[in-house]
């Protein structure tokens, strides 16, 4: 099908998921979770073919593209987690009686047809379908050519499993056209798509924001910071730093920037940077940081202004000395991407200030930024991590994929 035909098909089937009951939706989630596990061999075969075709891709993209038995198990676990959550649709959010006796209620409803355009992340295919089932939305998926075989196999498995159990699947659509022209056409399908979500590189997100003719929920790049405040505990900071930087360096909630209080620089910098260098992380450090680490000076790369704003997505990090929590906050708000930041501190006043004034979607005290994730937040899955403020911020879970409408009951009242 063409891009237009695919989007129209989702729109034509919009009422089906919207009118499903909670038990039906949860049954569907169980069906697709079971189907993914039962058909993992065909998924892994398709994924291996994608990886072979994309063997020259950057390492962080290969990591995002790769599926394993354990990752498929994790996807299924996330889908089953959604079953345990309350149905976000049909909730009475607020109700009141106006001056003329009208009973007014605000009720949660699905958003409609959600479009998502994403790169080399086949797990997103399953997460998004599951979230849309839970929230009663139709979905149009447009993955990149690098993951097309995997995405097509995953969608086929889920749709076939639903149909075999008597459910319709027309509200789930995958765009076959993976060309740039196809992507641009998708961005102009506002006749059928209610909201578009880009997940991928900064270039993809920028292009979508610039060209899309429907509302866009921006899921952002992740220049995430750890700030070691002068009262911080190195024994707390070290595992948080290594987990944030090294567990999966190619994802958006990985640490890319380290800030160290000048009053703690001599003590903390050699330990923290030494641990990174031992793990083969390239450290781009400011002059003050280099001076505080004479034993590491020949292993540190002088930092540039560009480094402080960079999302490395690999074994690199920037490091800068700052005077105090105020300068740390200013630096983060200037160079960051409003994603996830952490302060390492034993000072409650500094922690409270950091939490209040840092303008990011998720702000932590003494914990890894890697927790910024729909599953870790208890949402089961996520559509992405929004770094904007309208209509959603942070992990996009079930509640964030609803809107609302007003329901008014009267007895013949007319406005005077």
């Amino acid at each position: 099908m063409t891009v237009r035909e695919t989007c129209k098909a989702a729109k034509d089937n919009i009422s089906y998921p919207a009118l499903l009951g909670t038990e039906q939706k949860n049954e569907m989630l169980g069906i697709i979770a079971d189907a993914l596990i039962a058909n993992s061999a065909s998924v892994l075969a398709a994924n291996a073919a994608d990886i072979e075709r994309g063997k020259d891709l950057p390492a962080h993209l290969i990591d995002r593209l790769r599926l394993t038995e354990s990752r498929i198990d994790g996807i299924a676990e996330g889908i089953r987690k959604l079953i345990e959550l309350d149905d976000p649709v049909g909730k009475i959010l607020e109700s009141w009686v106006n001056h003329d006796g009208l009973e007014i209620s605000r009720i949660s409803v699905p958003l409609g047809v959600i479009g998502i355009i994403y790169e080399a992340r086949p797990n997103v295919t399953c997460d998004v379908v599951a979230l849309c089932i839970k929230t009663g939305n139709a979905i149009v998926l447009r993955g990149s050519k690098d993951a097309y075989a995997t995405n097509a196999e995953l969608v086929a498995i889920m749709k076939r499993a639903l149909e075999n159990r008597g459910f319709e699947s027309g509200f789930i659509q995958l765009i076959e056209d993976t060309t740039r022209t196809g992507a641009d056409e998708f961005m102009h399908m506002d006749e059928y798509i209610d909201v578009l979500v880009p997940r991928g590189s900064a270039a993809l997100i920028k292009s979508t924001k610039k060209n899309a003719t429907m509302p866009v929920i921006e899921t952002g790049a992740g220049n995430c910071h750890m700030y070691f405040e002068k009262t911080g505990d190195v024994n707390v900071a070290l595992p948080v730093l290594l987990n944030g930087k090294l567990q999966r360096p190619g994802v958006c909630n990985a640490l890319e920037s380290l800030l160290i209080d000048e009053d703690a620089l001599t003590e903390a910098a050699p330990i923290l940077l030494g641990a990174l260098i031992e793990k083969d992380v390239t450290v781009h450090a400011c002059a003050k940081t280099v001076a505080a680490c004479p034993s590491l000076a020949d292993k540190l790369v002088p930092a540039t202004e560009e480094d402080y704003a960079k999302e490395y997505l690999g074994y690199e990090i920037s490091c800068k000395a700052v005077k105090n929590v105020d300068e740390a906050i200013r630096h983060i708000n200037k160079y960051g991407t409003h994603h996830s930041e952490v302060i390492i501190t034993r000072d409650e006043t500094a922690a409270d200030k950091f939490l209040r004034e840092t303008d990011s979607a998720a702000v932590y005290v003494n914990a890894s930024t890697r927790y910024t994730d729909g599953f870790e937040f208890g949402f089961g899955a996520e559509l992405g991590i929004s770094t904007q403020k309208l209509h959603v911020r942070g992990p996009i879970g079930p509640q964030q994929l609803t809107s609302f409408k007003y329901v008014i009951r009267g007895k013949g009242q007319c406005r005077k």
Side-chain angles (χ1 to χ4, degrees):
M1 290 195 294
T2 66
V3 172
R4 176 173 291 277
E5 288 169 342
T6 304
C7 294
K8 183 178 184 300
K11 186 75 168 182
D12 288 345
N13 288 278
I14 190 173
S15 63
Y16 181 76
L19 299 177
L20 290 171
T22 302
E23 289 186 6
Q24 292 172 299
K25 292 190 288 187
N26 287 341
E27 183 182 353
M28 293 169 74
L29 291 173
I31 290 169
I32 65 172
D34 291 343
L36 292 171
I37 297 296
N39 293 276
S40 61
S42 66
V43 173
L44 294 176
N47 188 242
D50 279 331
I51 290 173
E52 176 61 27
R53 280 189 294 271
K55 59 187 175 183
D56 295 328
L57 290 170
H60 72 275
L61 287 181
I62 291 291
D63 177 60
R64 288 177 172 177
L65 172 58
R66 188 182 306 278
L67 288 180
T68 62
E69 289 282 2
S70 62
R71 287 187 179 182
I72 293 173
D73 289 345
I75 292 168
E77 182 185 356
I79 293 171
R80 293 192 179 102
K81 181 67 176 177
L82 283 171
I83 297 173
E84 301 172 12
L85 301 181
D86 288 343
D87 191 333
V89 176
K91 287 185 174 295
I92 300 176
L93 305 174
E94 192 177 6
S95 62
W96 65 96
V97 178
N98 84 338
H99 61 92
D100 273 347
L102 291 175
E103 298 175 359
I104 304 173
S105 299
R106 188 159 59 92
I107 311 292
S108 59
V109 298
L111 286 175
V113 181
I114 296 172
I116 182 163
I117 182 168
Y118 55 112
E119 298 173 335
R121 302 163 187 243
N123 63 294
V124 172
T125 303
C126 305
D127 289 349
V128 171
V129 169
L131 281 166
C132 285
I133 289 172
K134 186 71 176 185
T135 55
N137 290 293
I139 179 67
V140 179
L141 303 145
R142 195 279 185 184
S144 64
K145 66 177 185 226
D146 303 314
Y148 182 76
T150 311
N151 290 335
E153 181 64 16
L154 290 168
V155 170
I157 288 168
M158 291 187 286
K159 287 171 70 75
R160 183 170 61 246
L162 291 175
E163 292 165 3
N164 287 343
R165 295 286 291 274
F167 292 101
E168 296 181 20
S169 70
F171 66 96
I172 304 167
Q173 294 292 331
L174 174 68
I175 290 176
E176 299 170 3
D177 186 341
T178 59
T179 66
R180 288 181 179 271
T181 301
D184 185 68
E185 186 178 358
F186 185 33
M187 293 177 195
H188 290 80
M189 289 290 105
D190 55 289
E191 180 181 354
Y192 306 112
I193 306 297
D194 293 294
V195 61
L196 183 60
V197 182
R199 281 194 67 175
S201 66
L204 171 66
I205 294 164
K206 182 179 180 180
S207 174
T208 305
K209 287 177 62 181
K210 179 179 179 181
N211 296 306
T213 54
M214 69 285 285
V216 172
I217 298 177
E218 178 182 356
T219 61
N223 180 13
C224 303
H225 297 73
M226 186 179 98
Y227 166 48
F228 186 87
E229 193 264 339
K230 62 184 178 183
T231 68
D233 185 341
V234 173
N235 293 321
V236 173
L238 193 55
V240 170
L241 174 64
L242 295 180
N243 180 256
K245 180 69 258 183
L246 298 175
Q247 189 191 49
R248 286 192 71 187
V251 296
C252 62
N253 57 17
L255 285 174
E256 305 287 20
S257 300
L258 172 63
L259 305 176
I260 303 177
D261 198 297
E262 289 181 359
D263 289 342
L265 194 62
T266 302
E267 174 191 356
I271 297 173
L272 298 178
L273 301 189
L276 289 169
I277 290 169
E278 283 183 7
K279 299 293 185 180
D280 297 322
V281 177
T282 300
V283 180
H284 302 260
C286 71
K288 287 183 179 179
T289 302
V290 174
C293 304
S295 64
L296 302 174
D298 62 334
K299 299 177 182 177
L300 299 173
V301 178
T304 65
E305 194 82 2
E306 183 182 42
D307 286 316
Y308 299 137
K310 193 168 183 180
E311 185 185 25
Y312 293 104
L313 298 172
Y315 283 74
E316 294 184 76
I317 195 169
S318 69
C319 182
K320 188 177 190 303
V322 292
K323 293 180 180 179
N324 49 38
V325 65
D326 291 294
E327 185 177 349
I329 292 168
R330 286 196 298 272
H331 180 97
I332 292 169
N333 289 343
K334 177 180 179 181
Y335 294 102
T337 54
H338 310 291
H339 196 295
S340 301
E341 331 294 346
V342 55
I343 181 174
I344 305 297
T345 184
R346 285 178 281 201
D347 184 335
E348 285 298 323
T349 300
D352 290 343
K353 184 179 184 65
F354 189 84
L355 292 174
R356 184 176 62 254
E357 298 182 19
T358 302
D359 185 22
S360 293
V363 189
Y364 296 80
V365 177
N366 298 328
S368 173
T369 58
R370 287 283 290 120
Y371 281 105
T372 307
D373 174 84
F375 183 83
E376 297 295 338
F377 276 26
F379 299 162
E382 68 178 37
L383 200 68
I385 308 292
S386 170
T387 54
Q388 65 184 42
K389 298 179 181 179
L390 295 175
H391 117 102
V392 56
R393 201 176 198 196
I396 306 170
Q399 292 187 11
Q400 290 74 36
L401 294 180
T402 63
S403 183
F404 58 83
K405 67 180 178 182
Y406 291 98
V407 173
I408 304 97
R409 296 180 181 275
K411 298 179 181 178
Q413 293 96 324
C414 294
R415 183 172 177 175
K416 299 180 180 64

